Amino acid sequence: MDAVRNRMLKARLIPTVLLLDGRMIKTKQFDAFRDVGNPTTVAKVYDAQRADELIFLDITATTEHRHFLFDIVSAVANECFMPLTGGGGIRTVEQACQLLNSGADKVAINTGAVEHPAFIVELAKKFGASTVVVSIDYKRNAEGRNEVYTHRGRQPTGLDPVVWAKDAEARGAGEILLTCVDREGMMNGYDLETIRAVADAVTIPVIASGGVGTVQDLADGIVEGHASAVAAASIFHFTDQSIFKAHCHMLEQGIPVRK
């Protein structure tokens, strides 16, 4: 564990908020969903519990070409103090600028980066690499290999997540949000093997996402997955766990976290 302490800065615990029509939802494999509340109200709770950051992802903005995201981020930024990342349908520098002006600290891009990798370069030059989060959604394809998908895990890209993460870093990404679509919302633990492969292949922080069902899963994402941060959602909605409890458990495991 000493090696883990030496290798890491404080590990971050980041709740993820999925948005649909301006409401907060929870999905399973980015498909079946249920409404879990008002995103601004939930964000206040996470802020009070000292979440390290918060990620907002508008899951249908890419296909519907609209943004509830800006208004929600603005409302949350006016009342909360944790750093905010926003994503969903961001395809232009102008949209990224609007999101940042709404109160976001970072911009997450997914489809826009896959379709136009130079977009990563543009954002990094304009706003700095630390502002650019490349979101990578992947799942097992018909051949049994991990493949990057866009459009809520429906559009195959032919990209390998490890190779794509390295490419994104080379183009200026400051962080990777890595989500296993097969495990998203299933609460059966992270895909630690792939998280570790990506985290060991890049030098920028990797946020592990998809599958948390217990607080031990969060610790495993850091220790075994080598992630710099762990993202979760279902565990905070459908169990009695909280940010407080998760931080305490991670501390008990010897993982340095914000107190």
Side-chain angles (χ1 to χ4, degrees):
M1 189 60 67
D2 287 339
V4 173
R5 290 194 184 97
N6 291 335
R7 179 169 53 79
M8 292 186 305
L9 298 173
K10 287 187 176 180
R12 290 169 292 149
L13 177 56
I14 307 176
T16 302
V17 175
L18 300 182
L19 302 173
L20 177 66
D21 297 334
R23 293 287 294 177
M24 181 176 178
I25 63 165
K26 193 66 204 75
T27 61
K28 288 186 176 181
Q29 300 175 332
F30 288 149
D31 197 356
F33 67 88
R34 58 192 290 190
D35 190 302
V36 291
N38 182 295
T40 305
T41 302
V42 173
K44 290 179 183 178
V45 173
Y46 288 147
D47 188 50
Q49 293 183 354
R50 294 177 62 81
D52 296 290
E53 300 179 21
L54 187 60
I55 295 174
F56 288 99
L57 298 175
D58 191 331
I59 66 170
T60 57
T62 293
T63 55
E64 296 179 6
H65 306 290
R66 51 95 194 103
H67 290 280
F68 292 101
L69 183 64
F70 302 141
D71 291 342
I72 291 171
V73 167
S74 180
V76 172
N78 286 332
E79 300 192 43
C80 298
F81 299 96
M82 58 192 162
L84 304 177
T85 297
I90 304 298
R91 293 174 178 270
T92 68
V93 171
E94 291 73 22
Q95 289 173 334
C97 187
Q98 184 178 353
L99 180 59
L100 293 170
N101 287 338
S102 297
D105 299 277
K106 303 176 188 178
V107 177
I109 55 175
N110 186 329
T111 302
V114 170
E115 294 180 347
H116 303 286
F119 186 39
I120 303 172
V121 180
E122 293 175 14
L123 290 183
K125 287 183 176 180
K126 178 72 174 180
F127 305 112
S130 62
T131 303
V132 183
V133 179
V134 172
S135 178
I136 299 177
D137 299 335
Y138 73 94
K139 64 181 180 180
R140 295 282 181 179
N141 61 21
E143 298 175 353
R145 294 182 291 102
N146 282 336
E147 183 176 355
V148 176
Y149 281 70
T150 60
H151 296 79
R152 294 167 59 191
R154 297 175 180 176
Q155 182 67 44
T157 67
L159 296 171
D160 175 86
V162 176
V163 175
W164 176 227
K166 293 171 66 176
D167 188 12
E169 178 183 26
R171 293 176 185 273
E175 198 160 23
I176 299 294
L177 172 60
L178 183 68
T179 303
C180 178
V181 177
D182 292 324
R183 293 177 180 249
E184 194 275 330
M186 304 305 290
M187 302 180 71
N188 56 356
Y190 288 126
D191 174 12
L192 295 171
E193 181 179 356
T194 304
I195 294 168
R196 184 167 54 249
V198 172
D200 290 351
V202 299
T203 61
I204 57 177
V206 171
I207 305 169
S209 175
V212 173
T214 70
V215 289
Q216 184 58 43
D217 290 333
L218 298 168
D220 289 343
I222 300 295
V223 177
E224 296 185 35
H226 299 175
S228 299
V230 282
S234 294
I235 187 175
F236 302 127
H237 297 297
F238 307 131
T239 78
D240 64 352
Q241 300 298 338
S242 66
I243 302 293
F244 286 134
K245 291 179 180 179
H247 270 152
C248 287
H249 181 79
M250 293 169 77
L251 281 170
E252 291 170 359
Q253 298 294 305
I255 299 171
V257 297
R258 176 187 178 193
K259 297 180 181 179

